[in-house]
Amino acid sequence: MNGARQHLPKGYCAACGSMVGRQFRPGPDGRPDAVCPRCGSLERHRFLSLLLGVLAPELRDLDTVVEIAPSRQSTVLLDRLECRRRVTFDAGYDARTVDALASLTALPLRDDSVDLLVCYHVLEHVPDDGTAMREIARVLSPRGIALLEVPIKGGVATEEDPAASPEERARRFGQRDHVRWYGDDFDARLCDAGLASVRVTPPALVGESAVRWFRLMPHEVVWVAHPGRETASPMLAGGTGSGLTAAFDAVLADLAKAQDRLARSRARADRLAAERDALRVRLSELSARQRALERGLLTRLRRAARL
């Protein structure tokens, strides 16, 4: 024990399944604790991993899994699913690698053929989002699930202007290639397109303590959609949750106690190491003094012998 200590874990990345001892890096917009230093995942990727785990009973024996505009981190998560066919699409506006170039408004897929479709931060780019939503409803199988995420503002209706200039879009909608900010009517839009949905947030799914531990965004919203026209009560913070919140709270409380005990043990070990090092120094000083006394005594004996 030389005083060098490994830091306690700062969090857990659900995307790469790692305890992370280093500080999470800032996100693209500078928000803190956004990027996993191990795998580069963002909050939405870590939340997606948890969602897939919760939905696991419904994701058995999958035939076709589709991802629209995939990211490196989300592709890894979906590749873990035991499905027969994985297909990725993009409209081709950037250099990402996909299986096929296709618009979300005209997916080259059969009716009722997709068991899981993931579409994160795409609909806000599509001028005719109603057609895109109907395409998602068309290709989902009767048991199919769509996981959707869009930028949304609460308390207002959707604001959109597909004809706006790129500069105007950046000012009004946050990016030059966004054509709208969704509002409270997003659920109704999904319903009109034939998608029954429920809103899910991290605090409602796993609890506030787990949100901090997994480095999630409390205000993030994901829509879990099925073919149909019902809109279920949202799983929002303060609601009944998924049943995981109490379990996570208990586990993380135990973990906090264990970390506290470990910190106290390490502090005691550090004190003992400091005392040991001090004793070593004292012993070294005494040994040096003893050797000096022995040399002096030997010198006097030699002198006495000559006399």
Side-chain angles (χ1 to χ4, degrees), residues 68 105 137 149 174 189 195 241 277 293:
I68 310 297
T105 58
E149 188 169 274
R189 288 179 175 234
L195 291 170
D277 292 341
L293 290 172

Side-chain angles (χ1 to χ4, degrees), residues 85-124:
R85 187 181 301 106
R86 278 272 287 113
V87 185
T88 57
F89 293 114
D90 191 65
Y93 297 128
D94 52 35
R96 76 183 72 206
T97 301
V98 293
D99 296 313
L101 297 178
S103 170
L104 187 55
T105 58
L107 292 172
L109 297 166
R110 300 190 312 274
D111 294 358
D112 307 328
S113 62
V114 177
D115 293 325
L116 176 64
L117 184 144
V118 177
C119 180
Y120 276 25
H121 292 281
V122 176
L123 287 168
E124 66 271 18

Side-chain angles (χ1 to χ4, degrees), residues 43-61:
E43 301 96 333
R44 63 175 176 266
H45 303 125
R46 298 189 285 276
F47 189 35
L48 173 61
S49 178
L50 295 171
L51 267 177
L52 293 174
V54 171
L55 293 171
E58 299 183 54
L59 300 179
R60 295 171 180 165
D61 193 29

Side-chain angles (χ1 to χ4, degrees), residues 77-188:
L77 297 175
L78 294 176
D79 282 343
R80 296 174 187 168
L81 299 175
E82 296 181 357
C83 63
R84 300 179 183 87
R85 187 181 301 106
R86 278 272 287 113
V87 185
T88 57
F89 293 114
D90 191 65
Y93 297 128
D94 52 35
R96 76 183 72 206
T97 301
V98 293
D99 296 313
L101 297 178
S103 170
L104 187 55
T105 58
L107 292 172
L109 297 166
R110 300 190 312 274
D111 294 358
D112 307 328
S113 62
V114 177
D115 293 325
L116 176 64
L117 184 144
V118 177
C119 180
Y120 276 25
H121 292 281
V122 176
L123 287 168
E124 66 271 18
H125 299 263
V126 181
D128 187 2
D129 66 331
T131 297
M133 294 176 188
R134 288 190 291 273
E135 275 291 274
I136 294 173
R138 177 185 69 81
V139 302
L140 283 181
S141 69
R143 58 166 288 197
I145 297 173
L147 301 180
L148 311 173
E149 188 169 274
V150 297
I152 188 168
K153 292 181 178 179
V156 297
T158 296
E159 179 188 1
E160 59 187 338
D161 188 357
S165 67
E167 293 75 17
E168 182 71 6
R169 293 177 183 178
R171 185 184 68 81
R172 293 171 59 188
F173 310 129
Q175 287 187 202
R176 295 168 60 89
D177 53 352
H178 286 190
V179 299
R180 66 179 61 80
W181 269 107
Y182 283 104
D184 292 338
D185 56 340
F186 181 67
D187 306 77

